[in-house]
Structures are given as C-alpha cells and as structure tokens.
Amino acid sequence: MPVNFLLASAIIGIVGIIVHIKLDKQDEPCFNLNKLGIIKLGFNPAFLAFAEFDEDGQALVITSFFNVKFDLGTDPPRPVPLALDLVAKIDFNENKSFDQDEVAEAQVLSDKNPNVPPSHPKTVWPNEAIIAPDGVFPFKALVVAQGFLSAPFPGRLTAIDLTTISGGDEYIISQSIGLGEESRFYHNSQFYDMDGDGLLDIISVRSGGRIFPIPKPPTVGELVWFKNPGASIDKNSSWEEFILVSELGPDIEVTMYDFDEDGIPEFLTTHFFTGGKITIYGVEGEGKKWADVVKGDSEIKSVDISTDQGRPFGVKIKDLDGDGRIDILATNHQGDDCNFPVEIPGRLYALEPPKNNSLIFDASKWTTCVLLDNIYPQPSMPGARASRLAPGKALPIYPSKKRST
C-alpha cells in the first residue's frame, strides 16, 4: 500500500512547517493530524527521536545545541557558553498524555561528570542521538554525533552508557582536534560488521568545514568507519578509524541498504557541502566484502543518483508507492537569503531505482519525482537578510500499524 509521510522542519525550538501529504490519489483516505499538546523545556530542542529504553520503555530523545555566544573582543573570538549543549530524554508510554502538567521532566543524559567545567563541555552541538543495537557495546548506549559549522569546540562521535546515568559515563569513538585542518563534525551514524570479526562497527560521514569563528571552507567530506575494540573498549581512547572516501566525499547523512541484493549493504550518502548530490557507495567485485576494502584487496564503486536538486539533507529508504520495491525519500536544505524566487527552492522529492538490480549503479536508470516544492524558510526576525535553510527531514509514516503490514 502507498505510504504517507510527514515533512517537518525545526531549528532550535522554532517550528517551521509540518505538512502531511499522500503520495498518490488512490481511494485510501488520508488520516487526520491532531495537536496533542506542547511540551515546554528548559532548553532549545533541536533533533528529536523516539527510542526504546530497556528500563523505561519508549522515550523521546532530544538534543539541544549552540547555546553559546562569541566574545568578539578577543582574537580569535572566545566562545562564552550561555548553557550546556545537551542530550536529554522524556519517558512516555502508549497512554501518556502530552498535557504539559502530566509530561515527565526531561532527564539530561550528557555531561553528567561534575569534573567537567561548564566553560569546556564535553557535549558540543549534538545532532542525531540514537540507541546502539545490541552487539556494539557491552552495555546499553546512546551514540551521539556532534559538532557543526559554528560549534565553539571540536566535533566528536561519542556513546553515553545508559546503564550508569548517575555517573554519566561517556565513551569516545572519535575526537577531532582543535578548530583547524583536523577538525571534523558528525551528523549521524550506522552500524554494521565491516571486517567480519563478529562485532558491529560504526559507520559515519563527516565534514571539516567551518564558518565561524575561524572560517574554513567545507571542502572536506569523508565516509569513515570505526573498528569496534570489543573487550578493550576504553572511555578515553578513540576507536581505530578507516577512511573509505575522502577529499570531496559525503559529509552529512549516511544510511545503508543492500540495493543490489548481493548480501552486502551499500551506503547511501549525501554530499551537502561537497557537490550537492546523493551518492551510493558499494564494494567492487563479485563476492567482495567491505573487509576486502580494508585489506586493500578490493575497490569501492559509486553512483551519483541525484545531482540537480540543490543541497541534499535528509534521506529515508522506504517503499513509497506500494510496488514492493524500495524508493528514496529525500529533502534538500536550501538557503534563500529571503529572496524569492530562487533557482532551486526547498523541496521534497523521491528517487526511484531501476527495476533490474544489476543496473543500480547506472545513474541514467534512476528517476526523480518532486513531491512538494517551493518550501521557504521564514525570516527569524523582521527585516532579517541572513541565509536560513529549509526544509528539514521527512519521515515516512503509515496511518496505523495494521495498514503498514
């Protein structure tokens, strides 16, 4: 059956738009959206996700970032924290009301170590925060991708031990250096046994760009994975990293799917700063695995499946039209400087793969359909001319669990 989807755009607590769209004109009725309530927080919400916590059931995971200002009287400008960037959760169950008086208080999960001064927090611009599947850590963990263009401290990829919340144990996966050439930031992560040792490794994409306080063109994009250290895991030791694609590689989003059905997943990635395209990366050669790339016994193949839709931001893999084959639901993230119209506005679009799996890496066999067009960010204040970005990410949904099967 066809899938419906929600398009939502929110930056630092300011809701931009929420749109419910039906993909086609079949007779199945769309369901109605109802406002359940408003949850007021003591910090600016950024990214949201529902996750299953063993001890509490389902919870809403919330990140909050860029709670700083810069002292322009110093050279270089010195970051002055207004509040800690953080990761928090609110516990829910299926019958929980969203009434403000009944919602449990948000529990902060990050920066719980009292030895870390507020002037130099560990958590820096947290983006996606997701529960790691079993087989990654010897404990229940939340993996947090951190850093972005203007973050005042180096970006990092970390894991929060959820079994010791009171102690706030945090494990480093990757810690970049300073704000210069070695700085990197992360937006999300995936999990797969890359080297065949029986342990789930972590895959991510990262960027090295900055715009403030020390400008650095965002020309570095990398597809990278981190080897699971297993029993030798240490809170203060970064995981061994392997860079699969560098230079002008992918930089914001990565997800995975076995597009050609050969038993080995490919990585679907976005080049937000580095070329404005969506690219699939896979292992070259029949019978080859990602472990062979690590050993240098195989090469990586790639295909750019979208190059003309502006800067891609979010990608989701889902069968959108009910034909039994996956599609890609994507959004761009366009800045407009408050000038209308623009050459490529913010939009939501779908990418349909070829029906023949052997043609997945032939770009000419992919088709593009724009689903919603002319999405513009609103001025943050009257007369503002600074560039803003829209839309955010799109989430495929079904009217009910019964109809999704």
Side-chain angles (χ1 to χ4, degrees), residues 201-263:
D201 305 299
I202 296 180
I203 302 95
S204 187
V205 292
R206 61 190 185 187
S207 175
R210 299 190 61 80
I211 59 173
F212 194 80
I214 304 173
K216 182 162 71 75
T219 55
V220 176
E222 295 173 325
L223 173 60
V224 61
W225 69 275
F226 301 93
K227 180 178 172 58
N228 193 325
S232 63
I233 187 172
D234 179 77
K235 288 189 293 185
N236 301 312
S237 299
S238 296
W239 295 17
E240 184 180 7
E241 72 172 44
F242 298 89
I243 300 175
L244 298 175
V245 181
S246 60
E247 300 300 331
L248 298 178
D251 49 20
I252 291 294
E253 186 89 357
V254 58
T255 188
M256 63 183 185
Y257 187 82
D258 186 4
F259 288 94
D260 54 12
E261 298 183 348
D262 65 351

Side-chain angles (χ1 to χ4, degrees), residues 52-55 130-143 161-163 190-193 198-202 228 239 256:
E52 295 291 337
F53 287 75
D54 287 343
E55 71 279 12
I130 59 174
I131 296 289
D134 294 340
V136 182
F137 300 93
F139 45 79
K140 194 76 171 180
L142 192 71
V143 176
D161 183 354
L162 295 174
T163 63
Q190 295 289 303
F191 309 92
Y192 179 70
D193 183 1
L199 299 172
L200 292 178
D201 305 299
I202 296 180
N228 193 325
W239 295 17
M256 63 183 185

Side-chain angles (χ1 to χ4, degrees), residues 278-293:
I278 298 175
T279 305
I280 295 176
Y281 294 95
V283 181
E284 184 69 71
E286 184 177 355
K288 295 292 186 179
K289 300 180 180 180
W290 284 109
D292 297 318
V293 177

Side-chain angles (χ1 to χ4, degrees), residues 7 128 187-188 190 205 250 252-256 259 267-272 277-280 305-306 309 311-318 320 327-333 347-351 366 391-396:
L7 172 64
E128 183 183 88
H187 221 271
N188 81 320
Q190 295 289 303
V205 292
I252 291 294
E253 186 89 357
V254 58
T255 188
M256 63 183 185
F259 288 94
F267 294 112
L268 173 70
T269 67
T270 62
H271 291 245
F272 182 80
K277 59 185 181 179
I278 298 175
T279 305
I280 295 176
I305 61 174
S306 179
Q309 299 299 317
R311 294 183 174 186
F313 185 66
V315 287
K316 293 289 184 181
I317 299 172
K318 195 75 173 181
L320 297 175
D327 306 287
I328 296 171
L329 181 65
T331 57
N332 60 16
H333 206 43
R347 60 180 44 155
L348 174 72
Y349 54 105
L351 303 172
W366 287 75
K393 294 186 176 183
L395 175 66

Side-chain angles (χ1 to χ4, degrees), residues 2 17 41 81 109 125 129 155 177 224 239 274 283 285 331 339 343 386:
I17 59 173
L41 302 167
L109 305 176
W125 196 306
I177 302 172
V224 61
W239 295 17
T274 54
V283 181
T331 57
N339 296 319
E343 181 178 357

Side-chain angles (χ1 to χ4, degrees), residues 58-389:
Q58 196 173 63
L60 178 66
V61 179
I62 311 166
T63 64
S64 177
F65 53 62
F66 205 41
N67 295 303
V68 302
K69 65 178 180 179
F70 285 95
D71 182 357
L72 301 181
T74 62
D75 186 17
R78 180 176 61 89
V80 180
L82 301 176
L84 287 177
D85 288 355
L86 57 86
V87 180
K89 73 167 183 172
I90 297 177
D91 296 324
F92 290 108
N93 58 53
E94 291 185 0
N95 299 316
K96 190 70 177 180
S97 169
F98 279 78
D99 185 278
Q100 180 63 37
D101 295 332
E102 298 184 29
V103 171
E105 183 178 353
Q107 178 186 4
V108 177
L109 305 176
S110 57
D111 270 342
K112 301 294 288 186
N113 190 334
N115 296 324
V116 177
S119 60
H120 194 94
K122 293 187 296 182
T123 304
V124 178
W125 196 306
N127 293 301
E128 183 183 88
I130 59 174
I131 296 289
D134 294 340
V136 182
F137 300 93
F139 45 79
K140 194 76 171 180
L142 192 71
V143 176
V144 186
Q146 304 182 43
F148 201 57
L149 286 177
S150 300
F153 302 105
R156 62 207 317 250
L157 189 64
T158 64
I160 298 173
D161 183 354
L162 295 174
T163 63
T164 59
I165 293 301
S166 60
D169 287 346
E170 182 180 18
Y171 287 72
I172 295 175
I173 300 166
S174 175
Q175 174 67 70
S176 62
I177 302 172
L179 300 179
E181 291 301 317
E182 299 301 318
S183 67
R184 299 287 186 271
F185 60 78
Y186 300 85
H187 221 271
N188 81 320
S189 53
Q190 295 289 303
F191 309 92
Y192 179 70
D193 183 1
M194 296 286 282
D195 53 2
D197 64 355
L199 299 172
L200 292 178
D201 305 299
I202 296 180
I203 302 95
S204 187
V205 292
R206 61 190 185 187
S207 175
R210 299 190 61 80
I211 59 173
F212 194 80
I214 304 173
K216 182 162 71 75
T219 55
V220 176
E222 295 173 325
L223 173 60
V224 61
W225 69 275
F226 301 93
K227 180 178 172 58
N228 193 325
S232 63
I233 187 172
D234 179 77
K235 288 189 293 185
N236 301 312
S237 299
S238 296
W239 295 17
E240 184 180 7
E241 72 172 44
F242 298 89
I243 300 175
L244 298 175
V245 181
S246 60
E247 300 300 331
L248 298 178
D251 49 20
I252 291 294
E253 186 89 357
V254 58
T255 188
M256 63 183 185
Y257 187 82
D258 186 4
F259 288 94
D260 54 12
E261 298 183 348
D262 65 351
I264 305 299
E266 285 75 45
F267 294 112
L268 173 70
T269 67
T270 62
H271 291 245
F272 182 80
F273 298 110
T274 54
K277 59 185 181 179
I278 298 175
T279 305
I280 295 176
Y281 294 95
V283 181
E284 184 69 71
E286 184 177 355
K288 295 292 186 179
K289 300 180 180 180
W290 284 109
D292 297 318
V293 177
V294 174
K295 299 174 183 176
D297 296 334
S298 186
E299 300 293 330
I300 292 178
K301 56 183 176 180
S302 65
V303 58
D304 299 330
I305 61 174
S306 179
T307 59
D308 57 359
Q309 299 299 317
R311 294 183 174 186
F313 185 66
V315 287
K316 293 289 184 181
I317 299 172
K318 195 75 173 181
D319 179 4
L320 297 175
D321 53 9
D323 66 352
R325 292 180 57 79
I326 61 94
D327 306 287
I328 296 171
L329 181 65
T331 57
N332 60 16
H333 206 43
Q334 296 293 92
D336 61 17
D337 295 315
C338 297
N339 296 319
F340 311 120
V342 293
E343 181 178 357
I344 301 177
R347 60 180 44 155
L348 174 72
Y349 54 105
L351 303 172
E352 185 177 17
K355 299 188 184 314
N356 187 335
N357 289 334
S358 65
L359 301 177
I360 290 294
F361 284 88
D362 183 345
S364 68
K365 302 303 181 182
W366 287 75
T367 58
T368 302
C369 178
V370 176
L371 303 175
L372 181 65
D373 212 358
N374 297 317
I375 303 171
Y376 294 101
Q378 297 300 308
S380 54
M381 60 185 67
R385 306 296 296 180
S387 176
R388 287 162 301 283
L389 302 171

